[in-house]
Amino acid sequence: VDEVSISRREANLPPRVEDLSVAAQGRDFREGGMSSRTESVTQTLPSGQKVEYSATIPAGGKALREMPLWARGLRTMQWRGVDPNGDVLRYAVEVRREPEGPWIRIARDLEVSLLTWNTDTFGDGRYRVRVIASDEEGNPIGEGLTGESWSEAFRVDNTAPEVLTLEAVHTKDGVRVTGRARDGQGWLLRLDLSTDDGPWRPVSPTGGIADTGTLEFAVTLPRLEPGAHLVSLRAVDAAGNSATRAVQVTVPVRR
């Protein structure tokens, strides 16, 4: 026997979608920057040798206290695609309303495992995402396989809360401000107060904790100068939606 030849063909195995996650609404947006950036850094070592490398620079600015209008409704999802044969993968993303709504395709032929989805056209409610990976591009016609993964159910909330009442009354101790706000989809995260279009400052709700869909508060503003003043209340829910309401109060001249 001079030679033995064996022909072998690798069996195609289905791809997998792992680590699928959907970011919470309003997460990771910051004032002064939207995301981290990568910059080239050159450093001179004590020996005089120069080295160059890339460094991730965190986005600057403070975390947003409320979502800007253009960002409300945006949800970012990411995942990891794995193919046992090393084939190139393409992804499709589908969304359905829980518990048994139809799957609606919102993206197809994605080359990257990241997608930002605008939820404004879907309405409030609970949803689930499904990502489907296909290795069709790397295999003969008709021999491609798919794999998929479902996300945990999550809530979409694009409806602003309501400021139900807001009153400001002058008393001997200052201006007494009381109010009540409600969110119909989830819970209120924070109540803020502003005087004369000044900076927003948080106020503690009755009970001290913001953990329900309806919050009330009462606070006294001392040392307001005589004259007319504008007192504004802002209610922010857990999704970053906000609503404001304002009232006028007059502090009389001291006699």
Side-chain angles (χ1 to χ4, degrees), residues 55-208:
T56 299
I57 310 299
K62 300 178 180 179
L64 289 170
R65 295 184 66 83
E66 62 174 332
M67 291 298 292
L69 287 175
W70 58 265
R72 293 177 189 174
L74 297 183
R75 302 294 288 268
T76 299
M77 60 193 76
Q78 57 184 346
W79 59 91
R80 185 165 63 94
V82 179
D83 189 86
N85 307 103
D87 295 330
V88 173
L89 297 179
R90 295 289 182 266
Y91 305 100
V93 181
E94 298 177 342
V95 176
R96 82 171 189 186
R97 192 182 185 103
E98 288 294 289
E100 297 180 351
W103 288 105
I104 300 173
R105 183 156 294 190
I106 59 174
R108 65 181 71 241
D109 296 329
L110 294 177
E111 298 181 6
V112 296
S113 54
L114 179 73
L115 177 68
T116 297
W117 168 42
N118 188 346
T119 65
D120 284 339
T121 59
F122 279 76
D124 294 346
R126 290 181 63 79
Y127 289 85
R128 197 182 297 269
V129 166
R130 177 170 69 180
V131 175
I132 304 169
S134 171
D135 65 3
E136 181 178 357
E137 184 173 317
N139 287 277
I141 295 176
E143 298 184 23
L145 298 175
T146 62
E148 65 181 49
S149 179
W150 295 19
S151 74
E152 297 291 334
F154 57 90
R155 178 171 294 280
V156 169
D157 177 9
N158 296 323
T159 301
E162 299 177 89
V163 177
L164 301 176
T165 62
L166 179 63
E167 296 182 353
V169 179
H170 177 260
T171 68
K172 62 182 180 66
D173 298 319
V175 173
R176 184 69 171 175
V177 183
T178 58
R180 184 169 178 261
R182 178 181 63 194
D183 186 69
Q185 294 296 320
W187 70 91
L188 288 172
L189 184 66
R190 193 177 66 255
L191 297 176
D192 298 327
L193 211 61
S194 170
T195 304
D196 298 330
D197 204 24
W200 293 102
R201 298 186 60 187
V203 293
S204 296
T206 302

